[in-house]
Amino acid sequence: MKIFNQYFYLMLLMVVCSFIPYLMQPTTYLSDLKPPVSLIGYVPKEFSGWKVLDNKVANIVDPELQQSLSNIYSETLSLSFINDKDQVVMLSIAYSPAQTEGKYIHYPAVCYPSAGFKIESINQSVLKTKFADIRIKKMFAVANARFEPVTYWALVGNQVVLDESDSKLQRVKYGLKGIIPDAILFRVSTLNVNASEGFELNEHFINDLLEALPPDRRSQLIGI
Amino acid sequence: MSSRVYSSKFSNWISENQPKINYSFVLIGLLFLFIPTYLFLFNRVWQTESSSHGPLVLGIIFYLFWNKFDAFSINEQYQHPKIGYLLLIIGLFIYIIGRSQEILFLYVGSQIFILIGLILILFGGKTLKALWFPLFFIFFMIPFPAFVINALTMPMKVAVSIVTEQVLYLFNYPIAREGVMLHIGQYKLLVADACAGMQTLLTLEAIGLLYLNLVRSESILRNIVLGILIIPISFIANVLRVITLTLITYYFGNEAGQGFIHGFAGMFLFTIALLLIFSIDNLIQFFINRKIKSL
C-alpha cells in the first residue's frame, strides 16, 4: 500500500541506468582535435626511383559498394607507382573521420573475398622500418589470373590495428575517454605469382615512401 | 478536513490498484532502458540485409510473452532476490557499457540478464522456467559481432559455390568456379554475402523453433533432431536458390538474373524450406510413434 516500494525503486534504478550511457557516450571527435586530413597531394609523385603511373584503366567498382565506401571514408587515395625496374605497386589510403556504427572500416581480409578473391594465405607480421616497427598483415589474394600479395595495416586514432576486434578494442578505449576516433586504412599491393617476392616489393616501397614523407604525415601513418 | 478525505481516497485507490501500479513501475523502467535500444536497432542495424531478421524475431518474442502471460500468475512461494539482483546489476552494467560504447552484442544481450534478474526478484523460479522459451529466443535477435558473422559467412559462401558448381557441372552446364566467383557461359556471377544464407538460416531456425514450441512438442528427441535438421534444409534451399539464379542468368541474361526474380526466388525457396521443415517434422513424428507402438 505504498508508492515507494520495491517496484518503485527498481523503476528508479532502471531509469537512472538508461541515462548514464548518455553521460558516458563519447562526444568529442578526434578529427576535430587535429588539423583536417586531406589526402590530395598526401604522397609525393616521385621519390626513391618510384614514379606515379598514370594508368587510364578505370576500376570497375560495384555502385552499391561505392556507395557504402563513401559512407565510411571521407577521403580515399589510389595510386600506382612504377620503379626503374618496371615493377608496379598499388597504393591505397582511406581516411574515415569518425568510427561509429555503420562507418567501421572494412579490412582487405573481408573486402577482397567479398569481391571474389580467394585468400591463399594471410599472416600477421612486423615490418621493420627506419622509424618504427609496424604490425602488418600480409595477405595473398587470388582471383581469375590475378595474384595479388597485399600488405596492409590500419590506424584507429594513433593505434595500429589489424582486424575488427583490434579496432573495436581501440575504439572502446577512446570511447571510455569520451573520444570518437578517426581511422586510416593503408594498403600496398602488387601483382606477382610469387607471394614472397611480391611482399618484399611491397615492403621495399613502404620503406621508400615513409622516408619520402614529411615527418607529420609519416607519424600519422605509423601511429607515433 | 477535506484534504484528509482526498488523501484517504487516494490511498484507497492505491491499495486497490497496487499490483497494476507495481507492474507499471517496472514496465516504465524497462521502456526507458529499451526504447532507445530498439530505436537504434530499427534505424541503424536492421536496415541492412545482414540483419533483416531482427524485426521478425522481435515480433515473435512479443507474441511468445503474450502467449505465456499466465506464467506471471503462477503461485510462487519464494522469490530469489539475491541471484535476481546480481543478474540485474550485471545486466545493467553490460547495458551501460554496451550502449555507451556502441557494442551491439552487449547492448542487446544485456536484456536477457535484466529480464531474468527482474523475474527472479519479483516472481520466482517457476515463472522463469515457464518463460524460458521467449527469453531464449532473444538470442536470435542479438546482432553478432562482425568478425563472427564474417567467419561464418565465408565458409558458407564457399560451400554454396562449390555445391552449385558441382551440381550444374553434373548436368553438363559450362560452369567453372574461382573461389566464390562462378563463370557460366559468358557470364560471371559473384556469390555475395547475402547468398551465403546466414539470414535465411537464422530466420528458419527461429521459425522452426517457434513452430515446435507452439505445437508443444513433448519429445525432446523431436525438438533436437528438427532443430539440427533445419541447418541442412536451409543450406539446400539456399543452394537451390543460387542454382536457380545462375540458370536464369545463363538462359535469360544478366538483367533477368539480377532483377526482381532475385527477390522472388529468395522468397520462393524460403517457403519451400519451411514446407520441408514441417514435412520432415511429420516424418519424425511418424517414426517416433511407430517406435513407441512397437515397444
Side-chain angles (χ1 to χ4, degrees):
Chain A
M1 213 230 56
K2 308 187 315 178
I3 302 184
F4 300 109
N5 55 14
Q6 185 185 47
Y7 298 88
F8 179 81
Y9 289 115
L10 279 173
M11 172 182 76
L12 213 59
L13 175 65
M14 289 192 272
V15 170
V16 166
C17 284
S18 73
F19 282 109
I20 295 181
Y22 284 121
L23 303 173
M24 284 178 62
Q25 248 162 12
T27 46
T28 315
Y29 286 90
L30 191 60
S31 53
D32 287 343
L33 297 179
K34 41 186 188 171
V37 173
S38 165
L39 292 181
I40 306 176
Y42 200 79
V43 169
K45 297 222 184 295
E46 229 181 290
F47 59 91
S48 314
W50 295 98
K51 217 163 53 170
V52 169
L53 185 63
D54 249 331
N55 49 8
K56 307 289 182 192
V57 177
N59 268 327
I60 304 167
V61 187
D62 164 23
E64 211 180 275
L65 180 63
Q66 193 78 304
Q67 178 63 26
S68 65
L69 285 178
S70 61
N71 279 338
I72 303 173
Y73 305 115
S74 63
E75 303 249 353
T76 56
L77 174 78
S78 274
L79 291 173
S80 297
F81 287 84
I82 186 168
N83 66 6
D84 42 19
K85 299 196 198 89
D86 270 355
Q87 294 168 311
V88 178
V89 298
M90 297 166 280
L91 170 70
S92 169
I93 307 180
Y95 177 70
S96 162
Q99 288 290 286
T100 57
E101 176 65 36
K103 300 201 176 174
Y104 301 140
I105 49 178
H106 288 85
Y107 288 89
V110 173
C111 283
Y112 273 70
S114 288
F117 281 83
K118 180 161 173 253
I119 302 185
E120 287 291 336
S121 70
I122 179 162
N123 305 99
Q124 223 172 297
S125 178
V126 175
L127 173 64
K128 297 193 188 298
T129 69
K130 223 160 71 175
F131 309 99
D133 289 346
I134 314 172
R135 285 168 58 226
I136 56 172
K137 269 259 164 101
K138 287 159 62 165
M139 177 179 82
F140 189 39
V142 176
N144 299 339
R146 188 184 172 103
F147 296 82
E148 196 170 337
V150 184
T151 308
Y152 69 91
W153 72 82
L155 290 136
V156 167
N158 64 358
Q159 294 296 314
V160 172
V161 291
L162 297 181
D163 57 34
E164 281 88 358
S165 16
D166 254 357
S167 44
K168 186 177 263 178
L169 183 64
Q170 292 309 321
R171 188 170 52 82
V172 172
K173 275 192 182 165
Y174 274 103
L176 290 173
K177 294 188 224 153
I179 299 179
I180 303 172
D182 58 4
I184 299 180
L185 181 65
F186 182 87
R187 186 187 91 208
V188 170
S189 65
T190 183
L191 298 175
N192 199 330
V193 179
N194 186 326
S196 48
E197 247 183 52
F199 286 126
E200 231 184 87
L201 185 64
N202 288 348
E203 292 173 22
H204 196 67
F205 174 79
I206 295 175
N207 267 302
D208 286 344
L209 176 62
L210 288 178
E211 265 198 59
L213 282 175
D216 57 335
R217 286 192 200 148
R218 186 191 308 141
S219 23
Q220 208 166 41
L221 281 183
I222 60 182
I224 302 182
Chain B
M1 168 84 177
S2 55
S3 65
R4 261 211 256 138
V5 170
Y6 280 133
S7 79
S8 82
K9 264 199 185 151
F10 186 50
S11 55
N12 278 340
W13 181 82
I14 294 184
S15 332
E16 272 167 40
N17 291 294
Q18 190 73 60
K20 281 197 206 146
I21 295 178
N22 290 343
Y23 297 139
S24 305
F25 282 156
V26 176
L27 192 63
I28 291 176
L30 287 173
L31 287 176
F32 265 85
L33 284 176
F34 295 126
I35 287 187
T37 310
Y38 285 107
L39 281 176
F40 184 81
L41 284 172
F42 267 114
N43 288 329
R44 304 274 281 280
V45 182
W46 286 343
Q47 297 294 332
T48 68
E49 240 201 80
S50 63
S51 289
S52 48
H53 66 295
L56 176 69
V57 177
L58 181 63
I60 294 180
I61 291 176
F62 272 128
Y63 172 74
L64 287 173
F65 272 112
W66 181 71
N67 210 13
K68 284 257 176 190
F69 209 67
D70 46 357
F72 290 114
S73 315
I74 294 179
N75 214 346
E76 295 267 16
Q77 279 211 297
Y78 314 104
Q79 276 73 52
H80 301 268
K82 288 211 192 101
I83 305 181
Y85 270 106
L86 182 67
L87 288 175
L88 178 65
I89 301 292
I90 292 178
L92 287 171
F93 185 69
I94 296 178
Y95 169 88
I96 289 174
I97 300 282
R99 189 167 150 200
S100 62
Q101 302 305 319
E102 257 183 25
I103 303 177
L104 279 178
F105 187 52
L106 295 179
Y107 188 359
V108 182
S110 64
Q111 279 175 104
I112 300 187
F113 282 91
I114 293 174
L115 289 174
I116 294 182
L118 282 173
I119 291 176
L120 286 177
I121 296 172
L122 300 175
F123 297 97
K126 288 197 206 135
T127 313
L128 183 66
K129 210 165 145 207
L131 290 169
W132 80 272
F133 190 68
L135 287 167
F136 160 73
F137 219 74
I138 297 182
F139 267 116
F140 281 98
M141 204 172 38
I142 303 180
F144 278 97
F147 72 92
V148 171
I149 297 184
N150 288 333
L152 290 175
T153 306
M154 195 55 210
M156 285 172 79
K157 270 203 301 191
V158 174
V160 169
S161 313
I162 292 179
V163 176
T164 304
E165 180 210 13
Q166 294 298 315
V167 169
L168 288 177
Y169 187 68
L170 217 67
F171 285 90
N172 287 324
Y173 281 98
I175 184 160
R177 179 185 67 89
E178 189 109 37
V180 293
M181 191 92 87
L182 294 170
H183 302 251
I184 185 160
Q186 78 224 70
Y187 301 104
K188 260 187 355 199
L189 294 170
L190 175 64
V191 178
D193 286 354
C195 308
M198 194 68 187
Q199 278 314 292
T200 316
L201 176 59
L202 286 173
T203 315
L204 282 174
E205 276 288 355
I207 295 182
L209 291 176
L210 172 68
Y211 160 73
L212 283 174
N213 184 259
L214 288 179
V215 301
R216 295 181 190 287
S217 146
E218 297 300 326
S219 158
I220 299 187
L221 185 68
R222 176 181 167 197
N223 282 337
I224 295 183
V225 170
L226 196 67
I228 295 181
L229 280 180
I230 292 181
I231 300 178
I233 292 176
S234 161
F235 180 74
I236 293 174
N238 207 43
V239 168
L240 286 175
R241 176 171 75 152
V242 175
I243 289 180
T244 309
L245 290 169
T246 309
L247 286 176
I248 290 181
T249 306
Y250 178 66
Y251 285 116
F252 302 112
N254 245 333
E255 310 279 289
Q258 302 300 313
F260 85 101
I261 297 270
H262 215 102
F264 180 72
M267 269 191 276
F268 183 62
L269 266 317
F270 185 80
T271 315
I272 294 202
L274 271 182
L275 291 174
L276 226 96
I277 292 174
F278 298 143
S279 343
I280 292 202
D281 179 55
N282 284 330
L283 220 76
I284 297 177
Q285 273 183 285
F286 176 67
F287 277 116
I288 291 183
N289 288 338
R290 242 179 49 169
K291 227 180 177 174
I292 295 177
K293 279 202 191 123
S294 68
L295 285 174

